Amino acid sequence: MKKLALILLAFAASLPAQELDSHKLLNPGTDSWPTFNGDYSGRRYSTLAQINQTNVGSLTLAWAFQSRSQGSFTSMPLVVNGIMYATLPDQVFAIDARTGRQIWHFQRPSQGGGNRGVAMYKDRLIFTTPDAHVICISARDGKQIWQIQIADPAFKGFASMAPLVIRDHVLVAGSGDAADLPGFLLSLDPMTGQTQWRWDSEPKPGEPGSETWPQDSDVMSRGGGMLWLTGTYDPELNLTYWGTGNPHPVENSEARPGANLYTCSIVALNPDTGKLVWYFQPSPHDTHDWDTNMTPVLFDANFKGKPRKLLAQAGKEGLFFVLDRTNGKALVSAPLGDSDWYSGWDERGQPIPRKEAEPQPDGALVHSAITLWNAPSFDPQTGLFYVNERDWINVYYLTIPGKKAQGWAGRDFTVVGKPFLKALDYQTGKIKWSKEGTGRGGGSSGILTTAGHLLFTADTSGNLVALDPATGKTLWHTYPGAAMGSAPMTYELDGRQYVVTPVEGVIYAWALPAR
Amino acid sequence: MRKLTFVLLIAFFAVAVLRAQEGPPQGGAQRGGAGARAQKQAQAEAAERGRKTFVATCAGCHGEDATGGRGSDLIRSALVRHDKNGDLLSPVITAGRPDRGMPGFPLGEKDLSDIDAFLHAQIDLYDMHTRVPGGYPDDIPASRLATGSAEAGKAYFYGAGGCSKCHSPTGDLAGIAKKYSAPDLQQRFLYPAGKPSTATVTLPSGKKFSGTLLLKDEFTVAIRDADGWYHSWPLRAVKVEVEDPLAWHFAQAYKYTNADMHNLFTYLETLK
Amino acid sequence: MKKLSLMLLVIFAAALVVRAQDDAPQGAAAASQKQAQAEAVERGRKQFVGTCAACHGEDATGGRGPDLIRSSIARHDKGGDLLGPVITGGRPDRGMPNFPFNDSQVGDLVAFIKAQIALFDLHTRTPGAYPNDIPAERLASGSVEAGKAYFYGAGGCAKCHSPTGDLAGVAGKYTPVDLQTRLLYPAGKLPNATVKLTSGETLTGVLQLNDGSYVAIKDKDGWYHSWPRGAVKDLKVEDPLAAHVELLHKYTNADMHNLFTYLVTLK
């Protein structure tokens, strides 16, 4: 055993100092945040407790990083070996995670858009661009190594997601909701950018799932289902979990009768082959642009007295599901808020959409809870799942009826909405506590929970807040000048815990006062 | 409907023009205003001329909406989507595609560029994401939305809805259907956003301040008083009474059924 | 001298072009636009010298006629809108005849006058406005002998440098002003640091930060490292410019001129 440790140590020492050791992806430790969600589980829970309920009131600014650039940070920064990697569209910044000082800056001409961050593979960073490219640069100095194109901007294809690295696979996908593009997930070789495998959101004719599309048209071949938010991974089961987007044409039901698999689904894929292992569909036959891309959060916990491998997701359709992640069977199906668009649950625990709630030529008034992409969090200490949600009222108009419809094919507007931060019991789906925000629409921010019995997020007035995750009581707050579009993250360096909040063009790092 | 489509085309064409430019937009200040409007207008006119030529010449095979028929779907055509100012499209129109059964059309440069404008406007129309600012569906005619019962709507207005407590069809709502486009009218009666709340703040000393409410979150209250001065206080130090002129609409928004919405709209649409 | 002022004109005309636009054009297009503008200025200068200089002076600072550098009309002019009518219409009341130039000629004249104004307005500490046009003979006012003596003696330059080694041909490598600046202080070289950590590890690299709270270096492979000052047991900073810093406080005005005059001989 000692000998093995020595060999391991020698191996580790032979790596150039700042590379990402692949073990770090499996066990990030408290000094790293090496993936979009901090770890493969997507829980956004940190075991750090230096900042806790007794001292959070004295939280202060450790440093601030000014991007000096137009554009908002909607990305999650990574932290690896003391260096932070943050993105704006077509830009990457390497920042000293101790001091906030810039190390290097990568920039290419940009058309704007959004970006959610980089993935790291050894000494490389990989990210996507508004013109649907995937770019690999050196983490050492930001020099470009390779780039490929994965979708056609002329068909409104773009890319914004942070890729997910699993061993020697870089999982990445494009987006685009306007021109009936088929959804896909690519696995790329991190050394060259070459495709290792491709999973399509839609089956081929005759394959399982194809029966959920019309047989007399080719709508299935361009049926949407974009994967635009980073998935999660269970190394033991060797399954990667992803949410897929809405089907196309977006707001026309008639052109695509059926459940439209595998759009608006949670899918479990084998990361080595791209083969589908199971699926669950939170919004069957979606007609409201309710992508279910939101993070499939993985945790192991007792369920009705038995230890289970679980997956929880709060989706844009406003529902909360807890699944057995070995097989996709639903254990809990529950609403996040007030919704009137479904009539009940089918035998799989999926909602049964009401025909009348589909977009109509004269407008359909639909009440629906909704949650956006901003990260939820699961806190194993409280056993609660936290999500920023809104009770929304929308009117959906069908403007291009008929089987030949394409593109968006409808119009919709939001009448009004009530924002909430909600804490859900994963065993029942019941809302343990709920905190109403200000405003009647409002932004949405991601959430972080920590072992310090703290929940960090931003309220709908833009205040950064630290709450008691058991009750929702506010323990610390400050106004950073704008709303946080991204989510908080945390790490510890040299015995000091930092909580980082990207807000528009500034990254703030909060910590206890330096001793 | 044609006129409405035309209006839409103008709106979306502007987006197309912006998108078509390479690189960052050039010098906004000078280019904004009148120049941009004139350019939009010219583009919209070109698209409308192009539509006529297209209907007469191309629609037989490609469909009036360009989504295809005997000929290919031009909305999903990579050639059309990658075309810039006719560089790819015009040669195909003039030379035809004899191998695929498309004849050549000896159109002049102006006709070609008008058809190009029409097709790109048509693509933008199909690609439009409705939540894009400016993508609001102002083109839906009242006749399509007024599918409820005016009688039932009137009954709701004076009864269950409680609308008549504040509004009157001969008073503030007289001629309301003429003031707004049909979708705007529908949106505004569901929730007429934009009216600020007023607040009265009482300090521990008993001194009161009133004005337009600017902020009330968990920590702070801020108002602008009648003289235009800004004031703010920590919320825990003061007593705040808020009067929201939309409170009733906000509560009611969560009570409307789909039928209520259609009936009430159909009734309001009679107030011309 | 003429060549140097032409160079300057090119630079400042380019600055004008960039300022005149809302957004700087990119890459090649911008370069060719700069070039075109510089050519217009040079054509304008020739015309000005031939036609206008007799009254307004070759440098447009006036003479019999008014100073155009301080002229309100010239400064408010945009694309010839104010100067054009005066040139082609004259000012008979003030004794200025009219000159029947065409639009393109007027454009060149305006480009020249605007470039002249920019030249006079130039603040030397503005980035890019470095006075690279001063000829060596104007600066080399010292004694070669005294400079050489200083180099090998009091200055101690010879401890690190050699006129046949690293300094061979140095006068050909830099403009005179650059050479003078660099001999005084060749800025841009970051110090090297040896960082001994409390953990016992020792790292070396180029110092990036040493602000009392943190130490940061970039190692020879280009990777960045940082530590809180408390984690650093010993920090050795080796400033390759230390001798230059020391010398800066000792140079007399005469030393500078002598040394420069000597270095200029190293062609």
Side-chain angles (χ1 to χ4, degrees):
Chain A
M1 189 56 203
K2 236 184 190 177
K3 202 170 149 197
L4 182 72
L6 259 174
I7 291 170
L8 271 179
L9 204 75
F11 180 70
S14 72
L15 282 168
Q18 310 293 69
E19 279 195 8
L20 174 59
D21 182 340
S22 58
H23 296 286
K24 276 268 186 192
L25 280 170
L26 295 169
N27 295 299
T30 53
D31 64 348
S32 298
W33 188 281
T35 72
F36 178 73
N37 284 315
D39 63 24
Y40 278 136
S41 77
R43 291 181 307 175
R44 288 181 185 264
Y45 168 81
S46 166
T47 57
L48 288 172
Q50 183 184 76
I51 300 168
N52 56 53
Q53 290 200 4
T54 64
N55 59 25
V56 68
S58 58
L59 207 58
T60 188
L61 188 66
W63 53 257
F65 173 77
Q66 301 272 0
S67 69
R68 296 183 186 88
S69 178
Q70 285 191 331
S72 286
F73 284 109
T74 50
S75 63
M76 280 310 302
L78 304 192
V79 170
V80 173
N81 293 319
I83 300 177
M84 175 177 288
Y85 302 101
T87 65
L88 290 172
D90 291 303
Q91 297 187 62
V92 184
F93 299 91
I95 302 160
D96 185 335
R98 293 178 171 86
T99 65
R101 296 187 190 241
Q102 181 173 305
I103 301 168
W104 53 254
H105 177 210
F106 170 90
Q107 183 162 25
R108 70 199 277 272
S110 179
Q111 305 283 315
N115 185 272
R116 297 197 168 91
V118 297
M120 191 165 187
Y121 175 84
K122 293 186 180 166
D123 62 348
R124 294 159 174 229
L125 304 172
I126 298 131
F127 61 98
T128 60
T129 72
D131 60 353
H133 283 66
V134 181
I135 296 185
C136 175
I137 62 177
S138 163
R140 183 187 331 218
D141 51 21
K143 296 262 169 15
Q144 185 167 315
I145 300 169
W146 54 256
Q147 69 166 14
I148 59 161
Q149 189 174 357
I150 59 170
D152 186 349
F155 284 82
K156 304 294 184 280
F158 65 96
S160 58
M161 54 93 78
L164 180 67
V165 168
I166 300 176
R167 292 189 295 275
D168 294 327
H169 307 289
V170 180
L171 307 194
V172 69
S175 303
D177 232 4
D180 300 336
L181 302 171
F184 61 87
L185 181 67
L186 294 177
S187 174
L188 305 179
D189 181 334
M191 302 313 287
T192 62
Q194 271 170 347
T195 300
Q196 296 165 329
W197 53 256
R198 174 190 170 106
W199 179 78
D200 292 300
S201 303
E202 283 82 33
K204 299 273 175 295
E207 287 178 358
S210 62
E211 71 284 357
T212 64
W213 292 89
Q215 305 298 306
D216 59 350
S217 92
D218 60 354
V219 64
M220 181 173 73
S221 68
R222 42 174 172 255
M226 301 296 158
L227 290 86
W228 53 261
L229 196 61
T230 312
T232 53
Y233 174 59
D234 180 338
E236 268 180 50
L237 296 173
N238 195 32
L239 289 177
T240 183
Y241 303 93
W242 292 74
T244 65
N246 56 284
H248 298 164
V250 181
E251 294 189 352
N252 174 303
S253 166
E254 190 186 347
R256 47 177 177 80
N260 309 137
L261 292 172
Y262 300 96
T263 66
C264 285
S265 298
I266 299 166
V267 296
L269 306 175
N270 179 315
D272 296 311
T273 63
K275 291 279 179 292
L276 178 80
V277 176
W278 60 254
Y279 79 92
F280 177 86
Q281 197 176 27
S283 184
H285 187 66
D286 179 80
T287 53
H288 300 102
D289 183 31
W290 289 335
D291 325 69
T292 50
N293 298 82
M294 288 63 208
T295 308
V297 179
L298 314 182
F299 54 94
D300 297 346
N302 280 337
F303 190 88
K304 307 237 159 85
K306 265 175 55 186
R308 300 287 287 260
K309 288 173 90 59
L310 302 173
L311 179 157
Q313 191 210 44
K316 199 162 163 191
E317 78 292 340
L319 302 175
F320 177 68
F321 297 100
V322 178
L323 312 180
D324 179 332
R325 73 173 183 271
T326 64
N327 56 25
K329 296 271 183 305
L331 305 173
V332 174
S333 301
L336 286 176
D338 290 335
S339 292
D340 64 2
W341 60 270
Y342 64 100
S343 57
W345 308 100
D346 69 13
E347 68 285 353
R348 288 174 60 103
Q350 300 171 166
I352 303 165
R354 286 169 53 235
K355 188 84 188 150
E356 311 82 75
E358 290 177 356
Q360 308 292 337
D362 61 347
L365 182 73
V366 177
H367 297 76
S368 171
I370 193 160
T371 180
L372 300 181
W373 68 276
N374 312 76
S377 178
F378 175 77
D379 179 351
Q381 293 189 147
T382 58
L384 296 175
F385 184 96
Y386 303 94
V387 60
N388 276 308
E389 177 265 335
R390 299 170 216 179
D391 283 357
W392 240 1
I393 300 173
N394 283 274
V395 180
Y396 293 87
Y397 301 95
L398 176 65
T399 55
I400 307 181
K403 284 177 181 283
K404 260 188 75 184
Q406 48 178 285
W408 200 265
R411 310 276 184 266
D412 56 80
F413 72 81
T414 302
V415 175
V416 76
K418 280 184 217 175
F420 297 94
L421 170 59
K422 288 182 175 172
L424 286 84
D425 181 337
Y426 75 91
Q427 296 199 66
T428 61
K430 294 248 160 55
I431 289 156
K432 181 83 182 296
W433 57 260
S434 167
K435 189 165 180 155
E436 185 166 355
T438 54
R440 289 176 177 175
S444 199
S445 296
I447 300 168
L448 169 77
T449 54
T450 73
H453 299 281
L454 292 172
L455 181 156
F456 291 92
T457 188
D459 71 15
T460 49
S461 294
N463 298 299
L464 298 174
V465 292
L467 311 180
D468 179 347
T471 63
K473 186 179 175 235
T474 305
L475 303 171
W476 172 82
H477 69 95
T478 192
Y479 182 62
M484 175 172 64
S486 180
M489 52 87 80
T490 189
Y491 57 91
E492 180 179 45
L493 287 172
D494 324 309
R496 194 178 192 201
Q497 183 186 355
Y498 299 82
V499 172
V500 166
T501 56
V503 175
E504 288 213 345
V506 184
I507 297 174
Y508 296 95
W510 309 95
L512 296 174
R515 276 161 295 170
Chain B
M1 186 56 199
R2 259 199 184 171
K3 197 174 148 201
L4 285 157
T5 318
F6 181 55
V7 170
L8 251 190
L9 283 175
I10 295 180
F12 301 125
F13 221 86
V15 176
V17 168
L18 284 177
R19 273 197 212 135
Q21 290 182 343
E22 303 280 19
Q26 310 274 314
Q30 279 88 343
R31 293 277 308 274
R37 265 202 304 280
Q39 206 175 345
K40 267 188 214 179
Q41 177 68 21
Q43 282 291 15
E45 282 165 10
E48 187 54 17
R49 285 193 306 271
R51 201 174 59 75
K52 285 183 190 133
T53 314
F54 188 89
V55 167
T57 312
C58 323
C61 290
H62 293 288
E64 290 210 3
D65 56 3
T67 59
R70 192 143 47 102
S72 57
D73 178 348
L74 301 180
I75 304 299
R76 286 180 180 141
S77 154
L79 185 128
V80 180
R81 284 188 181 258
H82 286 274
D83 170 272
K84 287 198 169 62
N85 303 316
D87 62 344
L88 303 179
L89 191 58
S90 298
V92 174
I93 297 174
T94 51
R97 287 202 144 162
D99 52 324
R100 305 196 197 170
M102 172 172 166
F105 296 88
L107 296 173
E109 234 166 74
K110 184 142 188 303
D111 280 335
L112 288 171
S113 76
D114 288 349
I115 289 178
D116 195 65
F118 166 70
L119 284 176
H120 284 286
Q122 200 62 13
I123 283 176
D124 276 324
L125 194 59
Y126 273 89
D127 285 2
M128 180 175 65
H129 190 304
T130 53
R131 288 187 213 103
V132 173
Y136 186 72
D138 255 339
D139 62 330
I140 303 176
S143 56
R144 201 195 291 169
L145 301 187
T147 56
S149 145
E151 276 310 298
K154 189 172 182 178
Y156 186 84
F157 188 92
Y158 286 100
C163 316
S164 60
K165 282 177 201 158
C166 299
H167 300 287
S168 147
T170 52
D172 64 328
L173 299 186
I176 188 86
K178 276 193 294 195
K179 283 188 196 151
Y180 299 103
S181 72
D184 274 353
L185 181 61
Q186 188 152 32
Q187 178 158 16
R188 288 192 63 80
F189 87 70
L190 288 170
Y191 189 73
K195 282 183 192 157
S197 296
T198 55
T200 302
V201 178
T202 309
L203 308 193
S205 65
K207 192 166 182 201
K208 283 181 194 284
F209 289 82
S210 302
T212 303
L213 183 67
L214 301 176
L215 172 71
K216 183 172 172 278
D217 62 13
E218 203 182 333
F219 316 108
T220 310
V221 58
I223 64 161
R224 178 164 285 128
D225 71 18
D227 295 330
W229 285 105
Y230 177 93
H231 305 265
S232 73
W233 300 268
L235 196 57
R236 61 185 146 68
V238 296
K239 215 181 98 209
V240 183
E241 284 166 89
V242 175
E243 203 175 305
D244 179 359
L246 297 177
W248 184 91
H249 275 277
F250 187 58
Q252 190 66 18
Y254 287 86
K255 294 181 193 159
Y256 287 121
T257 64
N258 197 33
D260 292 341
M261 175 180 80
H262 290 124
N263 292 336
L264 197 50
F265 177 82
T266 308
Y267 169 59
L268 291 178
E269 192 52 35
T270 65
L271 306 179
K272 291 212 167 125
Chain C
M1 186 58 197
K2 253 195 185 168
K3 200 171 149 198
L4 284 159
S5 47
L6 175 59
M7 264 174 63
L8 253 191
L9 282 176
V10 173
I11 292 167
F12 300 128
L16 271 181
V17 170
V18 169
R19 268 189 223 143
Q21 290 181 342
D22 293 305
D23 266 323
Q26 312 283 319
S32 76
Q33 207 174 345
K34 267 187 213 181
Q35 178 68 23
Q37 195 64 13
E39 285 165 9
V41 168
E42 191 50 25
R43 284 194 305 272
R45 202 176 60 76
K46 285 186 188 129
Q47 262 164 29
F48 191 90
V49 169
T51 311
C52 322
C55 291
H56 295 286
E58 287 209 10
D59 56 1
T61 57
R64 195 146 41 107
D67 178 348
L68 299 180
I69 304 302
R70 289 183 181 140
S71 152
S72 179
I73 289 180
R75 286 191 182 252
H76 285 274
D77 178 274
K78 285 199 170 61
D81 61 344
L82 304 179
L83 284 172
V86 176
I87 296 169
T88 55
R91 283 202 146 167
D93 52 325
R94 304 197 196 172
M96 171 172 166
N98 59 332
F99 299 90
F101 284 121
N102 64 30
D103 282 356
S104 148
Q105 288 168 318
V106 167
D108 291 346
L109 280 171
V110 170
F112 167 72
I113 293 168
K114 287 287 188 182
Q116 261 327 88
I117 287 175
L119 192 61
F120 274 89
D121 284 359
L122 173 87
H123 190 304
T124 52
R125 287 188 214 99
T126 303
Y130 190 68
N132 255 329
D133 61 333
I134 304 177
E137 56 269 27
R138 201 194 293 168
L139 302 186
S141 57
S143 143
V144 174
E145 276 313 300
K148 190 172 181 181
Y150 187 83
F151 188 92
Y152 286 101
C157 315
K159 284 178 203 159
C160 298
H161 301 287
S162 146
T164 52
D166 64 327
L167 297 185
V170 72
K173 282 186 198 154
Y174 300 102
T175 64
V177 172
D178 277 350
L179 181 61
Q180 185 152 33
T181 308
R182 290 187 64 81
L183 84 87
L184 289 170
Y185 190 71
K189 280 181 192 162
L190 290 172
N192 291 309
T194 304
V195 182
K196 195 167 176 196
L197 301 177
T198 48
S199 65
E201 212 182 334
T202 300
L203 285 97
T204 58
V206 177
L207 189 68
Q208 307 290 308
L209 177 71
N210 179 24
D211 67 354
S213 302
Y214 294 93
V215 174
I217 64 161
K218 206 166 258 178
D219 71 20
K220 64 175 183 358
D221 296 325
W223 284 106
Y224 179 97
H225 307 262
S226 72
W227 305 270
R229 190 63 183 83
V232 178
K233 195 171 158 195
D234 189 34
L235 172 67
K236 275 208 188 76
V237 178
E238 219 175 284
D239 184 353
L241 299 177
H244 279 274
V245 173
E246 212 177 302
L247 209 48
L248 265 184
H249 301 281
K250 294 181 189 160
Y251 283 125
T252 63
N253 193 33
D255 292 340
M256 176 181 82
H257 289 125
N258 292 336
L259 197 50
F260 178 81
T261 308
Y262 169 57
L263 289 180
V264 152
T265 65
L266 307 178
K267 285 205 175 134

